[in-house]
């Protein structure tokens, strides 16, 4: 009988350990309730930033970006996305960032990025539109993280995209850029 009571006691203690602990990444962690993530989907390439889009001269391509959230909030987080080119492609000469109707967008003068708002912090997807003009061929990157900043995968603080008194949005150390080949 003592053995059965001891086994029951141990099983109760172990089950209490599993049921009472909150995972620091769960939706029940108050420290994470107002922290969101913004990035690029990379379903076929889960290892990183390998996703490549191709666009011909004069055409426009939609690049989906994603906002991860488990909540509905009274505020609407604002983030920015960016473009950069190692091939010396020039914005508004070789390519443009446009809206869904094809109107050229102007980057924010403070960050150099393009603003994107996530109403009520709801999880979802919004497209970035890149139009290839009749210019040079080459590659650009669409990024959800400022290309002028350094990201250190060992330092969560370096992944912060925006922080306000109400919310914080972070980038992933992977899937924060895709390549667009302008052909």
């Amino acid at each position: 009988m003592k053995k059965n009571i001891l086994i029951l006691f141990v099983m109760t203690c172990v089950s209490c350990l599993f049921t009472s602990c909150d995972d620091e990444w769960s939706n029940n962690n108050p420290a994470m309730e107002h922290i969101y993530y913004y990035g690029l989907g990379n379903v076929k390439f889960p290892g990183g930033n390998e996703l490549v889009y191709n666009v011909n001269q004069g055409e426009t391509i939609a690049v989906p970006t994603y906002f991860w959230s488990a909540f509905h909030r009274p505020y609407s987080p604002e983030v920015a996305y960016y473009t950069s080119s190692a091939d010396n492609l020039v914005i508004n000469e070789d390519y443009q960032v446009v809206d869904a109707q094809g109107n050229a967008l102007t980057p924010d003068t403070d960050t150099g990025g393009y603003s994107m708002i996530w109403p009520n912090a709801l999880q979802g997807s919004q497209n970035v539109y890149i139009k290839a003009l009749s210019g040079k061929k080459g590659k650009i990157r669409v990024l959800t993280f400022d290309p002028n900043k350094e990201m250190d995968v060992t330092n969560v603080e370096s992944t912060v995209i925006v922080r306000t008194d109400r919310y914080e949005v972070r980038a992933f150390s992977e899937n924060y850029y895709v390549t667009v080949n302008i052909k």
Side-chain angles (χ1 to χ4, degrees):
M1 183 72 167
K2 280 184 164 180
K3 184 177 178 183
N4 288 341
I5 291 175
L6 182 61
I7 290 173
L8 181 61
F9 176 74
V10 169
M11 288 176 57
T12 303
C13 290
V14 169
S15 70
C16 286
L17 287 174
F18 287 114
T19 59
S20 67
C21 65
D22 267 338
D23 178 5
E24 68 180 272
W25 293 95
S26 75
N27 292 337
N28 298 324
N29 182 347
M32 298 290 290
E33 281 185 3
H34 297 278
I35 296 176
Y36 309 98
Y37 292 86
Y38 177 57
L40 295 149
N42 203 353
V43 176
K44 293 182 183 176
F45 304 98
N49 300 304
E50 301 93 355
L51 189 56
V52 176
Y53 292 88
N54 294 307
V55 62
N56 294 319
Q57 301 285 324
E59 294 180 0
T60 302
I61 189 150
V63 177
T65 66
Y66 299 91
F67 185 81
W68 283 271
S69 169
F71 301 100
H72 179 272
R73 299 292 189 200
Y75 53 79
S76 297
E78 184 174 348
V79 296
Y81 60 90
Y82 304 83
T83 63
S84 70
S85 175
D87 290 341
N88 296 318
L89 296 181
V90 178
I91 187 91
N92 295 325
E93 194 174 303
D94 300 311
Y95 70 97
Q96 283 182 322
V97 177
V98 298
D99 64 16
Q101 291 75 36
N103 302 309
L105 299 177
T106 304
D108 179 48
T109 54
D110 292 335
T111 66
Y114 298 86
S115 178
M116 185 173 283
I117 297 173
W118 297 90
N120 298 110
L122 293 174
Q123 179 168 312
S125 175
Q126 293 184 46
N127 289 329
V128 170
Y129 297 94
I130 303 297
K131 181 177 183 178
L133 302 175
S134 296
K136 293 190 295 189
K137 297 177 181 181
K139 297 177 183 180
I140 66 166
R141 283 185 176 173
V142 175
L143 305 98
T144 58
F145 188 79
D146 186 343
N148 297 314
K149 292 183 179 179
E150 292 280 330
M151 188 185 298
D152 177 359
V153 296
T154 64
N155 180 358
V156 171
E157 186 65 27
S158 74
T159 67
V160 174
I161 297 172
V162 64
R163 179 181 287 135
T164 72
D165 59 340
R166 299 182 86 184
Y167 63 85
E168 178 177 307
V169 181
R170 297 177 182 171
F172 294 107
S173 59
E174 296 182 350
N175 299 337
Y176 67 92
Y177 75 84
V178 294
T179 301
V180 177
N181 286 328
I182 299 176
K183 297 182 171 236

